[in-house]
Each structure stands twice: as structure tokens, then as C-alpha cells.
Amino acid sequence: MRTSRTSLGKRLSALCTGAAAVAALLAAGTTAHAADTPLRDLAAAKGKVIGTAVTGSKLTGTYGDIAGGQFNSLTPGNAMKWGSVEPTRGSFDWSEADQIVAFAQAHNQQVRGHTLVWHSQNPSWLTNGTWTQAQLSSLLQDHITTEVTRYKGKLAAWDVVNEPFNEDGTYRSTLWYDGLGADYIAQALTWAHAADPSAKLYINDYNVEGVNAKSTALYNLVKSLKARGVPIDGVGLQAHLILGQVPGTLQQNIQRFADLGVDVAVTELDIRMQLPADSTKLAQQAADYKAVFDACVAVTRCAGVTVWGFTDSDSWIPDVFPGYGAATPYDENYAPKPAYSAIATALGGTSTPPPTGACAATYSVTSQWNTGFTGQWNTGFTGQVTIACSGAALSSWKVNWTYGAGQRITQAWNATCTQTGAGVSCSNASYNGTVPSGGSVTFGFNASWSGSNPAPTVSLG
Ligand code: G3I
């Protein structure tokens, strides 16, 4: 019996709902922000860059509107990596990188090039080859010269060397370190500078946001490169952070690099959480985003902050950290999350509402518009309630209402419903308590009525 009702419920939930729908908001939402000052204007007023990593093929529609409207800098998430631009030796594919640069120019945005020398996402012809030191050196020089020259004068900055250190501050064993020694870093910077003297040249790494062994190794390297006259303009702190774990020494760390005479950029910010997201986690995430932006705003030589994808639908986190996600300032449906408001606040914005999202429950008497079935007959009716979230999420739910005309629930599916007098209370089943931001859950029921059947006001608790 339950099986057939469950499938009936699924079928009914796909049908058009009746006219008498009543919605109840769980919390005031932040779904609309069109009237707010764009983040890029707030950042510009503070002399800061606000950037996002992007995927070229997605730069249309809402994704393109937000990427172009809210950010004053773009970083190609993958398009400029060696494996993307030269998948076969001597055969180049610049299409996505060119597309992103053209989009940025059309939207008056900077571009941050990413990345020239890395141990990952290299073409297999390179990683599988056997090279002498001289061959490896000239392959790297050619690669850097070719790519930097192509975009000469068009890019504000390059992440020249990416992730050169281990956690303990020793050099990471890579194709480059193992084949060329530690000076591959100085050589790469020198070759990049020769190809485009106007681009700011960075070394970029993760887990170097706070003061620790790895960031101190980076600090010592930058200090020695400066002392040698190697062209180094900045350090990139990737900042792939975990909820509630913004390092307390972030601002101090940014300041110590600034005091060396280099710029600092937060280059790949995201703040992941265990799924499902809920309003408590999203509020913590907002505080964390604000802490990062506050630290950058506080240090003059902090050039700005780039987020590693602006929407949860375009984030690397769920692929690499199963069970984690919701790491960016916009949800999968491009609704700004509390983190968005927190960024605006840190950049001096004033008009954003409190950082809460919204979930709503909608009650209706089911009707099947294309068959003439009204969902209601002389003694009974079939109804449904949909719980939908945007900018917020639920891990369990309970929907309450009070019938005003003697209606009585006789049967429910996809929820456990109890009725005491006129009061009805329906809780999630074991398998449908989770409502992610951008998602919805529907349950159904049969009930009796006589005389009239007004729709009640429902509340979500
Ligand atoms: O394009 C192919 C697609 O054709 C294929 O069907 C699919 C199957 O897995 O893979 C696609 O390529 C993926 C690529 O992203 C584009 O989406 C690769 O598998 C995947 O490994 C690659 O991940 C990228 C990752 O770097 C590689 O390490 C992420 O998108 C990218 O965001 C991430 O970025 C790095 C920064 O460059 C450096 N710092 C850390 C950061 C996060 O890992």
C-alpha cells in the first residue's frame, strides 16, 4: 500500500498545483540583490580587485551576467594551464583562454593568468617524456615565452609558479624541481618578465594563508629572490579554506609579505563545509568570508581577493572532497548566499539585509489540469505540500497547519502526519529530510472534507 501511495505522490507532485496555494517563509531571504551595488564597484572604491575563476564555455546567460557584473577580474580556472593550451606537442589550443580574455576586455575586467609552471595538469607528452636537464629547461622557457607573449599587455598578473612547496616548507618534488633544481623558480620568473615586463609576476600556493612552516618557506624564498634582483612582484595565497578555520594570523601574514616589498593576492578563495548546508553553517561561512576580505582590506599591498568559482554549481570541491561543498558565495541556482552579503559588507557596502536564506512551504489541493481531475471529490481530496529552499537549506523539516472547516487527514505519503483536533503536523520521512539550497521536497496526503475546503496557512518549523 505504501509503495503505491509513494508512487502516486511522486506522480501527483509532478502535476500542476491547485489555485489555493499558501506559502510560509521560514526566514527572510537574500535572494534579490539586483539593486545592491555590484561587488566590483565596492572593491574598486577601496582600490581592490575582486575576481573569480571562470570556465569559458559558461560565460553566457546568468553565469555570464554575474561574472561580468560583479567581478573586476577573471582567472581562467583551467584554460591557461599547459595541458589545456598544448595538449599535443607543438599543437596549441588557445580557444578557451582567448575567449576569457575577450570577455574580460568587453567587461572592463583584469585577467589573472593561471598558471605557467605547475606539477599538475601538464600534457602527457611532457610528463611521460624523458628529458635531459637542458631539454627540460628549454621546454619550460619556450612554454613560458610562447604563452606570456601571446597575452602580452593584456594580463594584469601571472601565477608564474604554482604550489612549489611541501607542507613542511621543503621544496615539492616535481618534474621541475627534480629536473632543474630549486632555481627553476627564478628562471621561470625571469623568462616571464622578459616576455611581458608589465605583468605582475606571482608565486602562488595553498596552506600559506597563516604564519606556518610553509608560508615561512615562501617568505624566505621571496626575500632571497628580491635580494637577487629576480623579478617577483607578489605572492598568491590560494585560500582553499574549511568552514570556521580562517587562520588567525592571516592579516599578520599578508603584512609580513607586504613588508618585503611585494603585493599579496588571495587568489583562489573558497570555504567548504560538510553537506548539507544549513543556515548555521552558511552564517559561519559568511563570517569566514568577511574575515578574509577584512584582512585584505586592512593591508594596502593586498591587491584583492579572487574566489575559485562564484557559484556552487561550478566548484571543484564536491569532486575532490566527497560530502563537502557549498563553498562559494552563490548557490547552484545563482542565488547569493549570506557570504555574498558578507563580502559586500567587508568592501564597505551598506544595503545588504541580514545573512539568512529562505525556505518556504506551499500547500495546495492537487489538480490535474490535463485530465479534468480536480483533486477533490464529494467527500475527500488529495493535497500536497512542497518545501523549497533558496539561499538556505534544511536537514529536517516539520510543516504545521490548522484546518478551518473540519477537514481531516486520512493518509499521507513521503511524510509522517498527525492530526489533533484541527491541528496537523507533518514531519519528513527518513529519506527526505534534506532540502538543499535550490532544491525542494514534496509530500502528499488524502483528507476528508464537507461543506467547504479552504486552504490553510502553513508554517515551516
Ligand atoms: O575537461 C574534462 C572533461 O572533458 C572530462 O569529461 C572530465 C572528466 O573528469 O574532466 C574534465 O577535466 C577536469 C577539469 O578540471 C575541467 O573541469 C579534470 O578532470 C579535473 O581534474 C580538473 O580539475 C581542476 C583542478 O584544478 C586540477 O587539479 C579544477 O577544475 C580546477 O578548479 C583546479 O584548480 C586548482 C588550481 O589550478 C590550483 N590550486 C588548486 C585548485 C583546486 O584544485
Side-chain angles (χ1 to χ4, degrees), residues 77-78 81 114 118 120-121 162-163 238 240 268 308 316:
N78 289 297
K81 292 170 181 173
H114 176 84
W118 194 22
S120 184
Q121 287 180 283
N162 199 35
E163 302 174 0
Q238 291 186 6
H240 294 293
E268 303 183 16
W308 204 243
W316 67 297

Side-chain angles (χ1 to χ4, degrees), residues 375-381 405-408 447-453:
Q376 182 170 306
W377 55 98
N378 55 348
T379 57
F381 67 98
Q407 301 100 317
R408 289 206 66 83
S448 62
W449 70 287
S450 67
S452 68
N453 185 19

Side-chain angles (χ1 to χ4, degrees), residues 68-289:
Q70 294 286 332
F71 299 92
N72 59 20
S73 176
L74 300 182
T75 302
N78 289 297
M80 288 186 175
K81 292 170 181 173
W82 198 333
S84 299
V85 301
E86 195 182 7
T88 304
R89 191 174 183 187
S91 164
F92 294 88
D93 180 357
W94 304 105
S95 51
E96 188 189 353
D98 285 355
Q99 180 195 0
I100 292 169
V101 171
F103 182 97
Q105 289 179 337
H107 292 81
N108 193 24
Q109 295 170 301
Q110 295 186 3
V111 177
R112 180 176 193 90
H114 176 84
T115 176
L116 296 167
V117 191
W118 194 22
H119 59 271
S120 184
Q121 287 180 283
N122 288 316
S124 51
W125 63 262
L126 175 66
T127 51
N128 294 340
T130 305
W131 315 104
T132 65
Q133 181 171 345
Q135 287 172 324
L136 199 56
S137 179
S138 90
L139 279 167
L140 185 58
Q141 181 175 9
D142 287 351
H143 167 64
I144 290 172
T145 303
T146 302
E147 183 152 9
V148 177
T149 301
R150 181 175 184 87
Y151 297 109
K152 182 180 179 183
K154 296 180 176 172
L155 268 54
W158 266 108
D159 291 330
V160 177
V161 177
N162 199 35
E163 302 174 0
F165 288 110
N166 293 315
E167 298 304 291
D168 66 0
T170 57
Y171 283 108
R172 185 193 287 266
S173 168
T174 68
L175 176 66
W176 310 115
Y177 179 77
D178 298 346
L180 302 174
D183 228 36
Y184 82 89
I185 296 172
Q187 288 168 332
L189 289 160
T190 303
W191 293 327
H193 182 69
D196 186 354
S198 69
K200 300 274 191 191
L201 304 182
Y202 280 67
I203 302 172
N204 190 49
D205 214 327
Y206 63 88
N207 288 351
V208 293
E209 294 75 33
V211 175
N212 57 35
K214 194 174 186 180
S215 66
T216 299
L218 178 58
Y219 177 88
N220 290 331
L221 171 63
V222 171
K223 192 174 180 182
S224 82
L225 292 171
K226 291 283 286 181
R228 289 169 57 191
V230 174
I232 171 78
D233 298 298
V235 296
L237 316 180
Q238 291 186 6
H240 294 293
L241 301 178
I242 297 169
L243 190 71
Q245 296 184 28
V246 178
T249 52
L250 174 60
Q251 186 180 324
Q252 177 194 341
N253 192 42
I254 294 173
Q255 187 66 58
R256 73 169 171 161
F257 281 105
D259 292 345
L260 282 180
V262 292
D263 293 340
V264 179
V266 176
T267 52
E268 303 183 16
L269 177 62
D270 48 29
I271 301 177
R272 62 186 179 269
M273 64 182 70
Q274 206 161 6
L275 297 173
D278 60 31
S279 54
T280 305
K281 293 178 195 173
L282 292 171
Q284 176 66 53
Q285 184 184 52
D288 292 345
Y289 266 93

